[in-house]
Structure formats: structure tokens, C-alpha cells
């Protein structure tokens, strides 16, 4: 996104011109990490320095080795250690005299509030863990959750962690098909879901979609647990293997389940994400390395302290919510906020009202949200007291300097550092960002690699680029939070992430996240975006191949190409170019069915912004679709070289169609 589109947004010339910002003195004085020596410490004492992350947790038994590299790139961390994630996120805080502190403050869209103290959380996690056990869930069984932002979601995750059953959370906005694909891929025999939830004041039916998804599961599903979120608002019936969450929990009144000691390398959860090919991949995260890493980054980057009220406005259905709503904050024993609904309901000050009323200390959100706030206007945050805020963060996509500065000024009142955190589902936690108690901030640039993270921007020949030049972002040493494999597909793990730059014969392993980047003379990294066929729509990662296959699955469509077009708020939007079949007309009816097809296969987040029907797609002589040209058309840019096209004329046709829309 360029800066041109939001010229009208209020920023004084002083701010527009300033390109670096020192962290506020007051912040530095109280920061969890403020000694610049930490970078050197990790460099000199790598990998053992990572023990400081593991030391944030309570271990049932100590590890023998910090890192085992024997089977690289199948690295292992804190090998031989045993721990339980739920114990670390719940029990130990109860034992340490903080049972009455709020663990989760939840707010429903209609304004209901629920506060779970650590004691409350302890009780309910135990009871639900006991219920899962009684249903027959055993250690290592994958339990799927298809749930919106309600407290039962983190409770179910922690209950699974307690009994050593990995969870696989499927974002509530994903379709029935997407749920079925993920349950099939993980051979998951258990599902926790709910009847519905609120969106913009309306009760949204969710259980119908879950049931439809269940119908697409190829193996037998043992049990389904349904949380009754909507009460009488929306009646539904449970089938034989479906159970009411409240009844299950009530039946376990006061029941306790010993936390199962898990091997550090045992799977904590699976998180499916989009890649180059059509099939989503299940990133496998472990108990010891992942939990250490998210606790450590939550402490050093988000500066979380137990007495804080911390709010990450992501959805738990994505990795950001796993790492920085649930596991990181709860491992540190802080109060984590959850909000069910949309930021503009009932009005556009909803988030600021929540911050004011709860005196939120730390706020972590996405650039797409910030761009929406800018559009709505500074009067909304200005009408609320946001002075409780100490730190702001962003994640999910590049943030343009103007949006960064708007956030810094209108939300942070120029007194909160802003951390722009680059990371991925696969990295488990933050990788490239400033340490807010140490580094200066440069709007638009995420910052240096975190201590212990060996990020390099390189050319195809593996040489590092010069400052200012663009290249590929790579990570050249392992880290504790990294994914261990693609679930059930070790080969794909190697081919997707390691093949590009590694040299296995010399035992040299380089992780390639498929992002382009630049680096400056201070080693600050500016992430430019994906170089593969992955779109970033409102901070959500979507595979173009997945969308294409949904479009081609629609009757009447012969062939399709999907690209991302620039969008003022979403960052990128989905553009579909489709060839119709035979004498099918690209009429309104087909258009509707294409939208439906995409929503059924993936969900409303992948809804096309624009659908263009065309008799042909621009192809090279070898028959490859030139997506670059289609992107240029979507963005109204001047067209690049068309000389390699078999059918150059078609691009003008398509261009005219897009312009006339
Ligand atoms: C955590 C998360 C990962 C992709 C990643 C990159 C983009 C994330 C960013 C950023 C620039 C940042 N991305 N944070 N780009 N600056 N601060 O978002 O995970 O959903 O797996 O997406 O998002 O392109 O590769 P995930």
C-alpha cells in the first residue's frame, strides 16, 4: 500500500518528516529488557542463551540438551525436558498466590462481560479436561476446535494441553469444507464447536456450518461438544454423539485432572496455513520450544508484566491469537482480554471504549485495522481516555509509515513505543522487531532480528544484499518456536521451507519464509511481502491456488486465475479472472455462484473483490498464466513486458473490462 491513498489523514508536518523515533524514557526505565548487551549475549552464547526462554517456565524435569541438530532440519529443542503447558499457563499462577487475579477478561459484542480469575480458569480447565477424558480423548489424539472468540475456546485449548491432546483450531470464519479438510488431514475424531455468535448485533448460526463440515469428514467422528453461546436466541438439536458443553462441565463439578507431563518435543498443537499449493499445511508446534519462545517474546517484545491488562485484538483462530492471546500472556500470568465482535459495533469507538473501561496497558493489532481506524477518523480515539496504554504493537502485514505514525500519535499519544513484529504461523512467535526498551523505531521497517535469530536478506546466490537492496528474507539458524514439520508430510516440510537455499551435503540449513525484504545500514529489516502465491487479505493469509480451485469448481467456469490487487483497508483484495465454459455467459448469476463457491470452499474472508469474465487468460508460449500482468491490471498500473505472451491482445480487453466496472 502506498502512502498516497491516505493523504487526507491528519498528521502534522513534523511527524510526516520524522523517520526515526526514540523509545520514551519513561518506558525504557520500566522495560523488561533494556540492556543492549542482550544481542551480544545471544550471539556469544548460542544456543545456550535460549535457556533464558525455557527458564520462564516450570519444568517437570530439566532438559538434557538445549538443541539437537543431528537430524536437521528436523531440529529438537530442550531435549529430554518434560513439562505441561496448561500447568504453566494456569496452575502455577494459582500456586503462586495469584488465584484471584483476572486471567481472562472477555467481552461479548452485546456488552456482556465475563471475568475468569486464575482460580476460575483452573477449575473450568480441569473440569473440561475431565470431561474430554471421559469422552475417550487420549494423549496425542488431535481435538479440533471450530469456535469464535468465546472463553470456552482458550479453556478447551488448555484442557487439551492438560491431558496431552494436541488441538487444531479452525478459524470460525472458515467454511464447512475448510473444517472437513482439516479434520481429515489431522485424522481428528473430536470437535468442539458452538451454536453461534454475534456479529454486528446479529446472531450468526455456526452449528449448521459445523454439522455440514462434519458430514464431509471421511472417518468416524467420536464426539462433538457444543457450547451454547446464544441461549434461547437460536434453538438447535444435538445428535447422538453431540454433547452440551455446560452439561459436561457441570457433571465434572470440582473434578481435577493431573497435568500430563509432556516431552518438550511432543506436539502442543497444529495450525493449518496456506502455501503455494492448494492443500493447507498443518504446522506442528511443540510443547517446550514453542511455549518457551512465546513466553520469552511476550516478555521481551510486548513487555508484558503479570499486573498488566493486555489486549491482542486478533482472533484465536490464527497463530497470533494462539501465541499472543493465549499461550504467551497466560504463561506470564498476566490478564489477557478477549473481544467477541467487530470494532465498529455499536459504534466506531468500540475498541477505544474497551481500552478506556479496562485500563488496557498493551494493545496489539494489525495494520489493516489501523487503516480502518484512520479512515473512520481520529475523533473516535480522541473521545476516549487511552492514557493507560504503555506499548502498541502490530502484526500480520507491512505497515506503511503513515499508518504507523497515525497509530503512534492518535492511539499512543506519542508516548508508547510501537513494535512492528514480523513472524509467521511457522515461526511460532516474533522474529524480526525492535526491542522496545532498547531500539529506536523506524516507521515502516520492522526492525532488527531478535537476539538469537539469524535473519539475513540474501540474493539468489546466497550472498547478503547491500543496504537498501531487495532480496529474500532467510533465517540461518534454528530457533525454539519453529515448526517441527508439516503434519504428516516431512517431505513437504523440507521442500517448502528448506530446499530453496539449503545445502544438505554440507549440512547447511537455511529457512526460507517466502517473504521479500530489504535491510538498511543499521540491520533494520523492511519486509516487502510474499514472493509466493499467497495473498494477505486484511492480515489473513490465503492461498491463490485454494481460491482458484474453488472458482474452477463452479459449474460454468473453465479456467481461472486469482491475484491480489491493492486495497486501501484490506491491504490486498482478491481479484478473480475467469474463462467461462462453452456458451455460458459471464452473467450476474454466474458471478454470484463464483462468490458462493469461494465462500463455501474457504469462507467469507476470501470473497472476491472483483470478478472478470474473459474469453482467454494471458499466457506465455509455454502455457503459463502471466499473473504479474493480471496484478498490474488489478492495480491499474502500466503494463510491463507483454512480448512473451502468446495472446498479447487479451490484456487490453481485460483491462477495458476492469476499467468499465
Ligand atoms: C503472524 C502472522 C505470515 C505472513 C508473513 C508476511 C506477513 C506478518 C508482518 C508481515 C510485514 C510484518 N507479515 N507480519 N509482513 N511486516 N510485521 O501474520 O502469521 O498468518 O502465517 O502470516 O504475514 O508476509 O510471511 P501468518
Amino acid at each position: 500500500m502506498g502512502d498516497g491513498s491516505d493523504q487526507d489523514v491528519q498528521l502534522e508536518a513534523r511527524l510526516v518528516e520524522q523517520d526515526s523515533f526514540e523509545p520514551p524514557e519513561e518506558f525504557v526505565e520500566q522495560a523488561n529488557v533494556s540492556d543492549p548487551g542482550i544481542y551480544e549475549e545471544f550471539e556469544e552464547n548460542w544456543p545456550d542463551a535460549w535457556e533464558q526462554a525455557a527458564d520462564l517456565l516450570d519444568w517437570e524435569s530439566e532438559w538434557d540438551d538445549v538443541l539437537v541438530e543431528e537430524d536437521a532440519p528436523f531440529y529438537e529443542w530442550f531435549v529430554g525436558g518434560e513439562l505441561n503447558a496448561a500447568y504453566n499457563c494456569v496452575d502455577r499462577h494459582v500456586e503462586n498466590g495469584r488465584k484471584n487475579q483476572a486471567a481472562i477478561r472477555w467481552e461479548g459484542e452485546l456488552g456482556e462481560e465475563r471475568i475468569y480469575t486464575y482460580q476460575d480458569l483452573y477449575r473450568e480447565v480441569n473440569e473440561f479436561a475431565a470431561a474430554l477424558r471421559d469422552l475417550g480423548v487420549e494423549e496425542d489424539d488431535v481435538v479440533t476446535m471450530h469456535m469464535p472468540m468465546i472463553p470456552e475456546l482458550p479453556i478447551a485449548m488448555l484442557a487439551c494441553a492438560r491431558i496431552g491432546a494436541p488441538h487444531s483450531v479452525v478459524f470460525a470464519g472458515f467454511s464447512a469444507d475448510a473444517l472437513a479438510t482439516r479434520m481429515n488431514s489431522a485424522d481428528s475424531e473430536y470437535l468442539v464447536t458452538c451454536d453461534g455468535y454475534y456479529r454486528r448485533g446479529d446472531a450468526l448460526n455456526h452449528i449448521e456450518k459445523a454439522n455440514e463440515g462434519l458430514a464431509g469428514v471421511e472417518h468416524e467422528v467420536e464426539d462433538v461438544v457444543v457450547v451454547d453461546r446464544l441461549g434461547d436466541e437460536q434453538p438447535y438439536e444435538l445428535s447422538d454423539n453431540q454433547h452440551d458443553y455446560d452439561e459436561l462441565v457441570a457433571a465434572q463439578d470440582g473434578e481435577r485432572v493431573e497435568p500430563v507431563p509432556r516431552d518438550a518435543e511432543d506436539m502442543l498443537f497444529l495450525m493449518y496455513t496456506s502455501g503455494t499449493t492448494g492443500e493447507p499445511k498443518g504446522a506442528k508446534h511443540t510443547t517446550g520450544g514453542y511455549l518457551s519462545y512465546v513466553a520469552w517474546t511476550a516478555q521481551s517484545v510486548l513487555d508484558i508484566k503479570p499486573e498488566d491488562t493486555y489486549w491482542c485484538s486478533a482472533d484465536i483462530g490464527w497463530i497470533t491469537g494462539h501465541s499472543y492471546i493465549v499461550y504467551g500472556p497466560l504463561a506470564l500470568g498476566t490478564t489477557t482480554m478477549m473481544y467477541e465482535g467487530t470494532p465498529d459495533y455499536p459504534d466506531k469507538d468500540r475498541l477505544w471504549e474497551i481500552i478506556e473501561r479496562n485500563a488496557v496497558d498493551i494493545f496489539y493489532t494489525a495494520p489493516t485495522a489501523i487503516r480502518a481506524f484512520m479512515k473512520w477518523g481520529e475523533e473516535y480515539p480522541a473521545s476516549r481516555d487511552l492514557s493507560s496504554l504503555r506499548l502498541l504493537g502490530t502484526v500480520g502485514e507491512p505497515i506503511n509509515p503513515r499508518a504507523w505514525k497515525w497509530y503512534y500519535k492518535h492511539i499512543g499519544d506519542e508516548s508508547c513505543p510501537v513494535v512492528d513484529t514480523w513472524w509467521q504461523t511457522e515461526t511460532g512467535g516474533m522474529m524480526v522487531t525492535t526491542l522496545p526498551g532498547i531500539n529506536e523505531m523506524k516507521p515502516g521497517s520492522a526492525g532488527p532480528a531478535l537476539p538469537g535469530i539469524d535473519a539475513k536478506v540474501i540474493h539468489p546466490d546466497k550472498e547478503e544484499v547491500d543496504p537498501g537492496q531487495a532480496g529474500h528474507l532467510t533465517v540461518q539458524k534454528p530457533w525454539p518456536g519453529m515448526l517441527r514439520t508439516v503434519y504428516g508430510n516431512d517431505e513437504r516440510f523440507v521442500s517448502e521451507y528448506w530446499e530453496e537455499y539449503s545445502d544438505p551435503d554440507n549440512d547447511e540449513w537455511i529457512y526460507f519464509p517466502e517473504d521479500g525484504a530489504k535491510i538498511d545500514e543499521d540491520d533494520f529489516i523492511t519486509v516487502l511481502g510474499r514472493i509466493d502465491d499467497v495473498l494477505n487479505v486484511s492480515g489473513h493469509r490465503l492461498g491463490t491456488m485454494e481460491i482458484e480451485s474453488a472458482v474452477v469448481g463452479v459449474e460454468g467456469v473453465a479456467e481461472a486465475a486469482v491475484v491480489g490487487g491493492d486495497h486501501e483497508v484490506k491491504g490486498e483484495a482478491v481479484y478473480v479472472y475467469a474463462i467461462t465454459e462453452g456458451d455460458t455467459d459471464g452473467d450476474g448469476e454466474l458471478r454470484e455462484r463464483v462468490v458462493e463457491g469461494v465462500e463455501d470452499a474457504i469462507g467469507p474472508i476470501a470473497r472476491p473483490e472483483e470478478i472478470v469474465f474473459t474469453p482467454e487468460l494471458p499466457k506465455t508460449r509455454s502455457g503459463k498464466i502471466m499473473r504479474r500482468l493480471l496484478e498490474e491490471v488489478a492495480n491499474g498500473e502500466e503494463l510491463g513486458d507483454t512480448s512473451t505472451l502468446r495472446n498479447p491482445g487479451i490484456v487490453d480487453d481485460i483491462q477495458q473490462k476492469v476499467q468499465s466496472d
Side-chain angles (χ1 to χ4, degrees), residues 26-65:
E26 233 175 283
F27 181 89
V28 174
E29 275 164 20
Q30 60 79 59
N32 285 337
V33 178
S34 56
D35 178 0
I38 190 166
Y39 289 96
E40 223 175 270
E41 182 189 332
F42 267 83
E43 208 160 294
E44 283 170 8
N45 194 21
W46 194 95
D48 293 345
W50 282 116
E51 289 189 295
Q52 63 175 267
D55 284 339
L56 292 173
L57 306 178
D58 282 0
W59 294 72
E60 180 97 7
S61 56
E62 186 93 0
W63 54 91
D64 305 313
D65 298 292

Side-chain angles (χ1 to χ4, degrees), residues 273 318-320 394-399 420-426 432 446 513-515 527-530 536 539-541:
T273 188
W318 305 98
I319 192 69
T320 302
T394 76
V395 57
E397 49 179 325
I399 181 166
D420 170 1
T421 62
W422 175 86
W423 57 292
Q424 309 179 293
T425 303
E426 293 87 340
V432 175
E514 309 210 66
D515 271 315
V527 179
L528 300 169
R530 306 283 309 192
N536 195 328
H540 298 149
R541 194 165 146 181

